Amino acid sequence: FRMLSFTSALTSLAADPEGHLLVVGSDAGCLHLVRAPGWRHAFVADTIRLSDAGVARVAVTFHDAGVGVLVVAALLFNNKIAFLRVHIEAEDPKLDMLGFVDVGGAIEDICFHRAEFEGDDAKLLAAGAADADGTSCVWLIAAPPIEYEAAVAELSRETCPVWSMKVDGSKKPENRISAVTSFSHDPREAVVVGFAGGALKSFPAPTSFGASAAKQAPAEAIEAFPPQGQLITRVVLSEDGRFLVSASMDGSVRRIPIEEGTKVPISHKLVHNPYNGGVAQVAVDPSGLLFLSTGGSDGAVVWSDPRDAVRPPAPGPEEDAVEVPGDQEELATSVDDKDTAAFPLWAPVDLADPDARAGEENDDPQLNAIAMAQRR
C-alpha cells in the first residue's frame, strides 16, 4: 500500500460506486481527488481550494448521462454548499467546480436523494436550522445540469431549484436535526431524519418550492423508529434498502431491518467511546452486514455482527495500474494543502474572455511546479 498524508485535518470522504475514486475534504477548505485503482498505486490526482471556511461534509452520486459523471457536493463550515463534477471515464479525471448554493440555514448534514424528483438531475438533501427563525428544516437542492459551465460563483435558483420542508417548529434543543438520509425505497419518496435528542423519524421528501419554510406548518412524520441514547451523528440506508443504520454520540451503531415490517434493531453494538464523542461517521457495505466506523481517537474500525458470520472480502487482483505521477512515486506522499500559493482559492472563469478560457484550458507551468514541489 501507499500512504497519502495532508497537512490539514481531513474531515470527510466519499467514494465512487467502484471505490476507485475518493473525494476527500479538509479543514483547510480543499477537496482532494484520490485515484485508487489499487492502494499500491493510489495518488492525489487533483486538489481544489473551495473556501477558507473548510469542508465539513462530502457527498457523491453517480450520474450516467451517456458518459460517467460523479456529482460531488461539499458542505462548508460557512454553511454554503459547493457542487462539483468529475468525468470518471476521462483519462485524467479532475474536480470541475460549478459554484455555491446558500439556502439560508445552518446545515448539519447532506446526502444525495436516491429517487427521481422532477427531472433527471441529481438532487441533494440538506438538513439543519433555518436562519430566519431557527426551526428545523430539510431542503432538497437540484444539482447543476451536467453540461453546466461555471460563469459566476453563486448558483442561481434557476440553475439549482430548491424545495423546503419544516420538520419542527418548537425550537427545542432535542428537536434540532443532526443527520439525514434518503429513504427512497418508500413509495412516498421519504427521508429519514436524526435528531439531537436521539429520535429517528421518516418524513415525506420536501415539495414546497423555495428555500424559506417560515410560513409552512411542520410536516407530519410518516413513522418513528426506536430512539437512540444520544444525538444521532449519522444515518445511512444500505444500498439494497434492507437496513437502516444509525450512529450516535453514545458510541453505538444500530441496524434496523426495513423489509420485514418490524422496526426493532437487530444489531445494537457499542463500538466507540461515548466519552470521546461517540461515533463520528459510519459506512455500510452493499449487503448491509459489514461496517466501517470512526470516532474519537479510535481510528477507523471495520466490523460486523458476530451472528452474521461475515468477513471482509479477500483482496482480488489489482486492475491495470494507473501511471502514478513522478512527484508521487515514493511510498509516502505528503500534500501541503494549507499552501495557498500551490492551491489558490477557486474563482469562476469569465467564459466571455478568450484569454481567460485559454488560461483555463492550458495549465500554468509555474503553478504546476509549485504544486509538484509541495507534494514532494
Side-chain angles (χ1 to χ4, degrees):
F1 67 94
R2 302 184 68 248
M3 179 179 293
L4 305 177
S5 63
F6 304 86
T7 54
S8 62
L10 302 184
T11 55
S12 183
L13 63 84
D16 78 320
E18 300 298 326
H20 293 170
L21 287 174
L22 297 179
V23 182
V24 184
S26 78
D27 66 355
C30 288
L31 277 186
H32 304 281
L33 182 66
V34 177
R35 295 190 70 179
W39 276 109
R40 285 181 293 179
H41 304 284
F43 64 94
V44 180
D46 194 21
T47 295
I48 184 171
R49 186 179 304 280
L50 303 176
S51 168
D52 294 329
V55 177
R57 187 83 74 189
V58 177
V60 302
T61 189
F62 180 71
H63 192 294
D64 188 3
V67 292
V69 173
L70 196 68
V71 183
V72 181
L75 171 63
L76 307 179
F77 284 116
N78 62 6
N79 292 309
K80 289 188 176 183
I81 297 173
F83 280 103
L84 305 92
R85 65 171 172 244
V86 180
H87 290 278
I88 62 177
E89 296 178 0
E91 182 178 349
D92 187 20
K94 299 292 184 182
L95 289 162
D96 186 8
M97 178 63 176
L98 303 178
F100 300 98
V101 170
D102 188 348
V103 297
I107 308 299
E108 296 290 338
D109 195 15
I110 59 173
C111 171
F112 276 102
H113 194 36
R114 297 187 183 185
E116 295 294 334
F117 192 90
E118 295 187 11
D120 296 329
D121 294 321
K123 306 295 189 298
L124 183 77
L125 291 167
D131 286 341
D133 54 7
T135 56
S136 295
C137 295
V138 175
W139 294 270
L140 188 66
I141 308 164
I146 293 299
E147 67 278 4
Y148 180 81
E149 296 292 340
V152 294
E154 301 296 328
L155 293 164
S156 68
R157 289 289 186 262
E158 290 75 20
T159 303
C160 296
V162 177
W163 296 263
S164 60
M165 174 180 64
K166 182 185 291 186
V167 172
D168 182 85
S170 68
K171 304 181 187 179
K172 294 180 179 179
E174 63 269 24
N175 292 336
R176 178 174 60 86
I177 292 179
S178 55
V180 67
T181 194
S182 174
F183 203 48
S184 56
H185 83 287
D186 188 296
R188 291 160 290 193
E189 294 187 357
V191 300
V192 173
V193 175
F195 294 88
L200 192 64
K201 301 177 182 180
S202 65
F203 293 87
T207 56
S208 179
F209 187 75
S212 175
K215 297 182 179 180
Q216 297 179 25
E220 292 188 11
I222 297 174
E223 62 181 318
F225 300 92
Q228 211 149 343
Q230 294 182 24
L231 180 145
I232 303 291
T233 55
R234 292 293 285 164
V235 57
V236 181
L237 184 69
S238 65
E239 188 174 306
D240 58 9
R242 295 170 54 211
F243 301 106
L244 185 68
V245 177
S246 64
S248 170
M249 285 186 68
D250 65 5
S252 67
V253 176
R254 300 184 312 172
R255 183 181 55 172
I256 303 173
I258 301 300
E259 301 294 339
E260 289 81 356
T262 175
K263 300 300 184 288
V264 178
I266 58 174
S267 296
H268 192 159
K269 185 175 179 63
L270 183 66
V271 185
H272 297 279
N273 189 342
Y275 298 103
N276 203 11
V279 183
Q281 297 192 53
V282 65
V284 60
D285 81 324
S287 71
L289 302 178
L290 193 63
F291 304 87
L292 186 149
S293 59
T294 63
S297 58
D298 298 337
V301 181
V302 179
W303 57 277
S304 65
D305 190 316
R307 294 171 294 181
D308 294 326
V310 297
R311 295 180 179 275
E318 288 196 0
E319 296 188 1
D320 293 338
V322 176
E323 184 177 354
V324 177
D327 61 316
Q328 298 189 58
E329 290 180 342
E330 300 296 329
L331 178 63
T333 298
S334 178
V335 178
D336 184 3
D337 56 359
K338 291 185 177 180
D339 190 322
T340 56
F343 306 109
L345 198 63
W346 173 82
V349 174
D350 185 355
L351 299 179
D353 184 352
D355 294 334
R357 295 197 66 175
E360 177 73 4
E361 293 170 359
N362 298 292
D363 291 338
D364 184 343
Q366 182 178 3
L367 185 60
N368 283 350
I370 295 174
M372 184 177 293
Q374 290 299 329
R375 284 175 177 163
R376 287 200 185 100

